[in-house]
Amino acid sequence: MYPPITDPAIPERDRRLLVRFPRTLTPASFPPPLVRSLADRLYEMAQGPFAGLFLSLAQTAAWFEGAEVKAARAARHYHRRYVLPSDLDREGQQLVVRARAAHRTVLESEVNRYGMLDTIANNVVFPQQIWEIAWMAHRQTVLRAEQLTVSRSEMTPALAAVVGPQREAIERSAAGIGRRVELLEQYAQRVRAADSALVAQRMMAQNDKYRDLLAQTHDQQAIRGLAEEARRMETQLQNSVLAAVEAGQALALPRDPLF
């Protein structure tokens, strides 16, 4: 199962804590978790004439707290700014899995490692898109569960008149999220194409060995073919990288009004 999806705006140190200690996290539909460490109690006592003393003691106690206690406090502070797998139904989980897989494809690509892609798209826009997809999928999950409960009631004309538009709203929102995921996957597909072209260019650098082999058979036509193929692959690589960069930049296009 994938780790929690966190809001990219959360400081990196706290995000690492949330991911490292997922058992401290509370589903978004539940109330925020309670954290009652010594530091918390001292912070609550930091009032009145001894406020400064208690505040200093609280800060000292917090300094010596273990990582899991700090993670629990972060889980409370950032509640509803992370999404757990249990926050999503099957449809929502599938969307998140697809979006994360597309991101992993991009980050692990050779063209990305060589700095040939848009780093803002990969490191800022992409994570933000995944977070928004996960959060909207959670909201849709909650509403779908609500509609499932309502569906067990007798569907009178009056009830149908109310739930009909509600269900349509869920479907339209889900379609919008699906379009976002498809855009991420299209970007990943173009990155894979650029990677393939990069491999082809690397193989093209070995053409001298094959050209020598053909020269021994006096096959001049095949030798010229290798040279032409080399030029074609160089152009293809340039075009593939350009298409991948453009696809990455397209991730920041204005959002659907539904979101």
Side-chain angles (χ1 to χ4, degrees), residues 67-182:
E68 189 163 1
V69 174
K70 293 178 180 178
R73 182 176 292 107
R76 174 178 176 82
H77 182 71
Y78 297 112
H79 186 242
R80 294 177 64 82
R81 291 180 65 186
Y82 52 82
V83 173
L84 306 178
S86 59
D87 284 318
L88 307 176
D89 57 16
R90 183 175 180 179
E91 184 175 343
Q93 289 183 8
Q94 288 175 343
L95 289 171
V96 169
V97 168
R98 288 169 55 193
R100 287 174 61 89
H103 193 207
R104 187 167 56 251
T105 294
V106 172
L107 293 182
E108 294 177 355
S109 67
E110 287 194 61
V111 288
N112 182 58
R113 288 198 298 269
Y114 292 152
M116 302 169 73
L117 300 179
D118 187 334
T119 57
I120 297 298
N122 295 344
N123 301 326
V124 179
V125 179
F126 216 131
Q128 181 66 29
Q129 289 284 343
I130 293 176
W131 161 245
E132 292 179 5
I133 287 168
W135 183 249
M136 289 302 300
H138 161 65
R139 293 182 60 188
Q140 293 163 7
T141 294
V142 172
L143 295 178
R144 276 194 289 263
E146 182 179 88
Q147 289 295 318
L148 180 61
T149 300
V150 171
S151 68
R152 299 191 180 102
S153 305
E154 181 180 357
M155 191 57 62
T156 64
L159 182 57
V162 173
V163 301
Q166 292 177 344
R167 292 175 179 174
E168 182 181 357
I170 295 174
E171 292 173 359
R172 291 182 59 198
S173 177
I177 286 293
R179 288 193 295 272
R180 282 204 190 191
V181 174
E182 289 172 0

Side-chain angles (χ1 to χ4, degrees), residues 38-65:
L38 174 61
D40 292 316
R41 291 192 290 271
L42 289 170
Y43 275 121
E44 292 175 356
M45 298 168 65
Q47 52 187 333
F50 300 103
L53 172 63
F54 283 116
L55 181 60
S56 177
L57 290 172
Q59 292 170 340
T60 301
W63 176 265
F64 288 101
E65 285 178 344

Side-chain angles (χ1 to χ4, degrees), residues 4-48:
I5 308 297
T6 59
D7 181 350
I10 297 175
E12 180 62 25
R13 181 182 63 181
D14 292 338
R15 286 201 293 129
R16 286 199 299 265
L17 280 173
L18 296 175
V19 173
R20 181 182 172 190
F21 297 100
R23 65 182 180 180
T24 66
L25 309 185
T26 300
S29 298
F30 291 10
L34 291 176
V35 181
R36 295 292 298 169
S37 67
L38 174 61
D40 292 316
R41 291 192 290 271
L42 289 170
Y43 275 121
E44 292 175 356
M45 298 168 65
Q47 52 187 333

